[in-house]
């Protein structure tokens, strides 16, 4: 259980950093897709906030202590904070993909460990998160433009 507590805190830290990164991109999106990406990033950081709350409350239900300080989140996270700057559609998709892959990898490890420990509360919740990440990954792939297939005018 101690190892699961550590893994859940690392995941919680990454959720918090990812949430702040998404909020950063929400505030700093630029380009022709501004409106769509501004709305999409707003929905995503709200969803991440709900997930942060779910994970912390699940930890408390299991008599675990979630991290609560911003400095602890930054120290424990493996996702890096983004700089405050303008972000276009390619920057946003790349950052979502990288952060989403890290969260998905962690969610799989936590789900597997929880399954091994017969902790079905955690295992089932993380199975749900994996479905969400798979959908996000599919949507990002669908949005990406293959620059090699774009024909240039002669």
């Amino acid at each position: 259980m101690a190892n699961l507590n550590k893994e859940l805190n690392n995941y919680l830290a990454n959720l918090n950093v990812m949430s702040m990164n998404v909020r950063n991109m929400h505030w700093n999106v630029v380009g022709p897709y501004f409106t769509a990406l501004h709305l999409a990033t707003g929905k995503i950081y709200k969803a991440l906030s709900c997930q942060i709350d779910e994970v912390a409350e699940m930890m408390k239900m299991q008599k675990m202590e979630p991290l609560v300080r911003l400095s602890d989140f930054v120290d424990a996270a493996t996702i890096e904070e983004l700089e405050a700057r303008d972000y276009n559609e390619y920057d946003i998709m790349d950052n979502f993909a990288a952060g989403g892959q890290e969260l998905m990898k962690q969610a799989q490890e936590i789900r597997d460990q929880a399954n091994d420990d017969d902790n079905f509360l955690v295992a089932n919740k993380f199975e749900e998160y994996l479905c969400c990440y798979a959908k996000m990954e599919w949507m990002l792939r669908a949005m990406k433009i293959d620059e090699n297939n774009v024909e240039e005018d002669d």
Side-chain angles (χ1 to χ4, degrees):
M1 182 89 98
N3 193 35
L4 185 59
N5 185 57
K6 182 177 190 269
E7 292 302 317
L8 286 168
N9 268 319
N10 289 119
Y11 183 77
L12 188 60
N14 276 335
L15 284 174
N16 274 279
V17 171
M18 185 70 173
S19 179
M20 288 309 302
N21 286 349
V22 172
R23 186 167 286 144
N24 178 356
M25 291 183 286
H26 173 76
W27 291 334
N28 292 304
V29 63
V30 296
Y33 302 104
F34 170 84
T35 302
L37 289 171
H38 185 74
L39 293 172
T41 53
K43 286 180 183 178
I44 291 168
Y45 81 69
K46 288 174 186 169
L48 287 169
S49 292
C50 289
Q51 194 176 358
I52 289 165
D53 194 51
E54 287 176 348
V55 171
E57 288 177 353
M58 184 173 23
M59 291 177 72
K60 293 300 286 184
M61 285 187 276
Q62 306 240 333
K63 299 181 179 161
M64 298 178 194
E65 289 301 320
L67 298 175
V68 295
R69 294 174 6 155
L70 293 175
S71 58
D72 292 337
F73 292 141
V74 172
D75 290 344
T78 55
I79 295 175
E80 297 291 322
E81 293 177 289
L82 295 178
E83 296 297 320
R85 64 172 180 83
D86 290 345
Y87 289 91
N88 65 31
E89 64 273 18
Y90 297 105
D91 297 328
I92 290 172
M93 286 188 287
D94 289 344
N95 282 302
F96 276 146
Q101 286 172 355
E102 180 62 24
L103 289 171
M104 183 179 272
K105 179 180 143 232
Q106 276 188 294
Q108 287 171 335
E109 291 168 359
I110 290 167
R111 184 226 27 222
D112 292 346
Q113 183 181 348
N115 268 332
D116 291 345
D117 295 345
D118 291 334
N119 187 332
F120 299 114
L121 173 70
V122 174
N124 291 339
K125 183 52 76 172
F126 276 79
E127 189 68 34
E128 181 183 315
Y129 294 157
L130 286 168
C131 290
C132 292
Y133 295 136
K135 184 175 181 179
M136 183 177 81
E137 187 177 52
W138 163 67
M139 293 175 90
L140 287 171
R141 278 194 322 267
M143 287 173 56
K144 278 234 172 187
I145 297 172
D146 184 353
E147 293 174 343
N148 295 326
N149 290 332
V150 176
E151 294 181 23
E152 293 184 27
D153 293 335
D154 291 9

